[in-house]
DNA sequence: AAAGCGTGGAA
DNA sequence: TTTCCAAGCTT
C-alpha cells in the first residue's frame, strides 16, 4: 500500500469508530490501571461477560495499590466465574511488581509492558496504544480476521508464528495520531461487522478494497486448521458433611485445571476402576479415601440425580454425585482441604463447576 | 511449537 | 448434542 492508501484506510477505520464506538466502562478515561484490567479480563472473554466483573472489581479495588495488597480470597471472589483464574493471580503479582519495580507507575511502552507477568504481545500493544499513545498494533483474534480478509491473507492462524506475521503486516498501518482508537476500531469492527460466521460486508467501510470480499472468500478467511479434541473424563463428586453441618472441600492441585480453587472432593473414575470392573461401590470409595487421605467416610451413597456435565476448553467432564458423612474431628493432615460452614462457602471464590455441583445437590435436598 | 487453561453463547 | 467461537498468556 502506498501512503495515500494507508491514509485512506486509517480514516476509514477512525471515521467508522467515531460513529460506532461502544460506550464501555473502561473507555470513560485512559487510566492505565483500568485499561490494563479490562484487557486482562477481555482475554478470550466477551465484552458482555466482562462488564459486570469490571464494574465490581474497580469498585472494590479502585487503584493499583489496592490490588497489590488484596487478600487472595477477596481477589478470587471478585474473579469467581470469569474463568482462566491464573489471570487473576497474575494480575495481583503484576500489581506488586509495578509497585516495587516501577514505583507504582505503569511502564509506557509495549516492549516494557510485555515484561510484566500476564501481559503478552497483544495486551502490551493494547495498553501502550490506548493508554500511552504509542503507535503499535494490538493483534488479537479480531485483527487476524479483519486483516486476513482485507489482504486475502492465507496465513494459518492456528500456528504460533501467525501473530508476528500479522503484527508485521499491521504495524505500518497504525497511525501516529490516535493509535489506540485505530486498534479499538479494528476490534470493534471485527466483533460487529467483520464477524466470523456472518460478516456484514455491505455495511463495512473497508468493503471497497477488501480483497477477500472481492473474491467472495470472506468466509474462508482467516485460515485456521487446528481443531481441539476434548478428552472425556468421568468423575465422582463427594458431598461430605460432618455432624456440625459443615462440608469438606478439596483444594485443587497447583497444576492443572482450576488449580488452587476449592471443589467438592473429586475422584477420577479411572483411579477406581480396574480393567474388567464396571460398577463403583460405596465400599470402594471409602477405601480410596482411607488409602489416599487417612480419612474414614461413612454412609457413602450414590445420589439419585442427573450427573453434572462441565465442559472446559480441552475437557468434557461428567460428574456423578455421592453423599457421605465424616467425623468433625477427623485428622485432615493428609487431605488437601478443609471444612467449610455454609457461610464460608458463600464467601469463597468458587469455580463454576463447583457452583453447578452445589446447585444439583441443593435441588436434590429440596425435593427430599 | 504446541498444549493447557474457563466459561457462556450461538448455530 | 456437538462444535466452534470470544479483546491470549504461560510453559
Amino acid at each position: 500500500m502506498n501512503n495515500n492508501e494507508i491514509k485512506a484506510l486509517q480514516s476509514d477505520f477512525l471515521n467508522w469508530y467515531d460513529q460506532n464506538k461502544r460506550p464501555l466502562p473502561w473507555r470513560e478515561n485512559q487510566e492505565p490501571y483500568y485499561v490494563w484490567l479490562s484487557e486482562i479480563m477481555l482475554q478470550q472473554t466477551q465484552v458482555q461477560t466482562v462488564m459486570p466483573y469490571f464494574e465490581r472489581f474497580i469498585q472494590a479495588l479502585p487503584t493499583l495499590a489496592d490490588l497489590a495488597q488484596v487478600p487472595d480470597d477477596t481477589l478470587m471472589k471478585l474473579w469467581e466465574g470469569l474463568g482462566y483464574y491464573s489471570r487473576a493471580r497474575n494480575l495481583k503479582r503484576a500489581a506488586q511488581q509495578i509497585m516495587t519495580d516501577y514505583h507504582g507507575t505503569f511502564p509506557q511502552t509495549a516492549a516494557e509492558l510485555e515484561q510484566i507477568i500476564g501481559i503478552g504481545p497483544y495486551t502490551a500493544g493494547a495498553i501502550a496504544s490506548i493508554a500511552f499513545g504509542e503507535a503499535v498494533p494490538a493483534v488479537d483474534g479480531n485483527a487476524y480476521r479483519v486483516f486476513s480478509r482485507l489482504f486475502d491473507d492465507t496465513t494459518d492462524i492456528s500456528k504460533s508464528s501467525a501473530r508476528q506475521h500479522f503484527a508485521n503486516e499491521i504495524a505500518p498501518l497504525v497511525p501516529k495520531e490516535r493509535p489506540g482508537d485505530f486498534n479499538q476500531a479494528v476490534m470493534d469492527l471485527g466483533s460487529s461487522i467483520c464477524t466470523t460466521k456472518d460478516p456484514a460486508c455491505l455495511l463495512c467501510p473497508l468493503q471497497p478494497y477488501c480483497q477477500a470480499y472481492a473474491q467472495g472468500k470472506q468466509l474462508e478467511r482467516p485460515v485456521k486448521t487446528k481443531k481441539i479434541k476434548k478428552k472425556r473424563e468421568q468423575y465422582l463428586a463427594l458431598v461430605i458433611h460432618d455432624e456440625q453441618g459443615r462440608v469438606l472441600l478439596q483444594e485443587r492441585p497447583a497444576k492443572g485445571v482450576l488449580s488452587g480453587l476449592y471443589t467438592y472432593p473429586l475422584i477420577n473414575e479411572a483411579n477406581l476402576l480396574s480393567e474388567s470392573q464396571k460398577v463403583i461401590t460405596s465400599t470402594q470409595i471409602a477405601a480410596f479415601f482411607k488409602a489416599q487421605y487417612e480419612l474414614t467416610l461413612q454412609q457413602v451413597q450414590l445420589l439419585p440425580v442427573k450427573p453434572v456435565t462441565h465442559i472446559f476448553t480441552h475437557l468434557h467432564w461428567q460428574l456423578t454425585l455421592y453423599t457421605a458423612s465424616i467425623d468433625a474431628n477427623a485428622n485432615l493432615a493428609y487431605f488437601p482441604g478443609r471444612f467449610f460452614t455454609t457461610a464460608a462457602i458463600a464467601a469463597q471464590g468458587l469455580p463454576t463447576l463447583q457452583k453447578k455441583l452445589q446447585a444439583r445437590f441443593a435441588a436434590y435436598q429440596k425435593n427430599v
Side-chain angles (χ1 to χ4, degrees), chain A residues 60-77:
Chain A
L61 305 172
T63 70
L64 188 72
D66 295 322
L67 172 57
Q69 299 176 41
V70 69
D72 289 350
D73 53 350
T74 304
L75 177 66
M76 293 321 290
K77 189 66 186 175

Side-chain angles (χ1 to χ4, degrees), chain A residues 78-366:
Chain A
L78 288 166
W79 207 265
E80 179 181 77
L82 196 52
Y84 287 138
Y85 296 93
S86 64
R87 289 185 295 175
R89 297 203 176 84
N90 287 342
L91 212 46
K92 178 178 171 181
R93 289 172 57 193
Q96 293 172 333
Q97 188 181 346
I98 296 168
M99 291 303 289
T100 57
D101 296 355
Y102 297 90
H103 306 295
T105 304
F106 269 84
Q108 306 201 357
T109 66
E112 288 175 287
L113 286 162
E114 204 175 328
Q115 301 308 310
I116 294 173
I117 183 71
I119 299 183
Y122 160 73
T123 306
I127 299 172
S129 63
I130 296 169
F132 300 116
E134 186 182 7
V136 290
V139 186
D140 71 336
N142 289 303
Y144 284 157
R145 198 164 53 254
V146 169
F147 289 101
S148 68
R149 286 172 175 167
L150 197 57
F151 302 138
D152 194 28
D153 188 325
T154 57
T155 301
D156 182 358
I157 65 165
S158 306
K159 305 201 169 184
S160 310
S161 54
R163 200 209 61 77
Q164 189 58 54
H165 169 80
F166 279 101
N168 293 341
E169 296 292 314
I170 301 168
L173 309 177
V174 180
K176 298 283 184 285
E177 300 291 324
R178 304 182 64 191
D181 284 350
F182 177 85
N183 285 331
Q184 293 182 91
V186 172
M187 293 189 275
D188 271 22
L189 189 82
S191 60
S192 62
I193 302 284
C194 195
T195 58
T196 305
K197 292 176 180 171
D198 187 24
C201 299
L202 298 182
L203 300 176
C204 181
L206 310 177
Q207 182 247 93
Y209 47 93
C210 178
Q211 295 180 33
Y213 179 78
Q215 304 182 49
K217 292 187 173 176
Q218 61 270 29
L219 291 178
E220 300 168 37
R221 306 288 177 266
V223 173
K224 183 177 181 180
T225 58
K226 189 177 62 181
K227 289 184 178 63
I228 300 168
K229 186 164 187 182
K230 290 180 168 44
K231 193 198 300 179
R232 282 180 176 274
E233 292 180 334
Q234 300 279 133
Y235 280 84
L236 313 184
L238 278 56
V239 185
I240 304 169
H241 284 95
D242 70 3
E243 311 89 285
Q244 305 169 15
R246 298 182 304 175
V247 178
L248 188 61
L249 295 188
Q250 184 171 27
E251 186 177 9
R252 304 274 311 157
K255 303 249 178 195
V257 285
L258 307 178
S259 60
L261 297 172
Y262 282 93
T263 66
Y264 290 136
L266 305 181
I267 304 174
N268 191 328
E269 285 194 7
N271 293 338
L272 292 182
L273 294 173
S274 55
E275 292 182 17
S276 58
Q277 188 187 356
K278 289 178 182 171
V279 180
I280 291 169
T281 65
S282 297
T283 308
Q284 204 176 2
I285 295 169
F288 179 87
F289 243 69
K290 187 68 178 173
Q292 291 285 314
Y293 309 123
E294 287 282 333
L295 290 176
T296 304
L297 300 184
Q298 296 178 5
Q299 294 182 304
V300 178
Q301 289 183 325
L302 172 64
L303 217 56
V305 298
K306 197 173 59 171
V308 166
T309 294
H310 193 73
I311 298 168
F312 300 96
T313 306
H314 296 81
L315 303 168
H316 185 132
W317 282 8
Q318 187 172 49
L319 306 102
T320 308
L321 275 80
Y322 284 75
T323 55
S325 56
I326 192 171
D327 192 302
N329 296 315
N331 178 6
L332 300 182
Y334 299 101
F335 180 79
R338 56 189 173 88
F339 287 111
F340 282 75
T341 63
T342 303
I345 287 182
Q348 189 71 16
L350 299 167
T352 298
L353 166 63
Q354 173 63 15
K355 296 282 199 176
K356 279 191 197 174
L357 293 167
Q358 288 175 191
R360 186 63 49 89
F361 179 67
Y364 162 77
Q365 278 189 311
K366 195 175 165 187

Side-chain angles (χ1 to χ4, degrees), chain A residues 2-44:
Chain A
N2 64 38
N3 282 341
N4 286 338
E5 290 171 331
I6 291 175
K7 290 282 183 209
L9 177 143
Q10 292 169 343
S11 296
D12 287 336
F13 271 113
L14 290 170
N15 290 337
W16 180 87
Y17 187 65
D18 288 338
Q19 298 296 318
N20 297 281
K21 76 177 276 194
R22 284 175 293 179
L24 300 172
W26 46 89
R27 285 180 175 169
E28 289 177 11
N29 58 52
Q30 295 167 182
E31 172 62 35
Y33 174 58
Y34 295 151
V35 173
W36 170 52
L37 176 62
S38 70
E39 291 300 342
I40 300 296
M41 286 184 163
L42 285 163
Q43 288 169 4
Q44 303 290 283

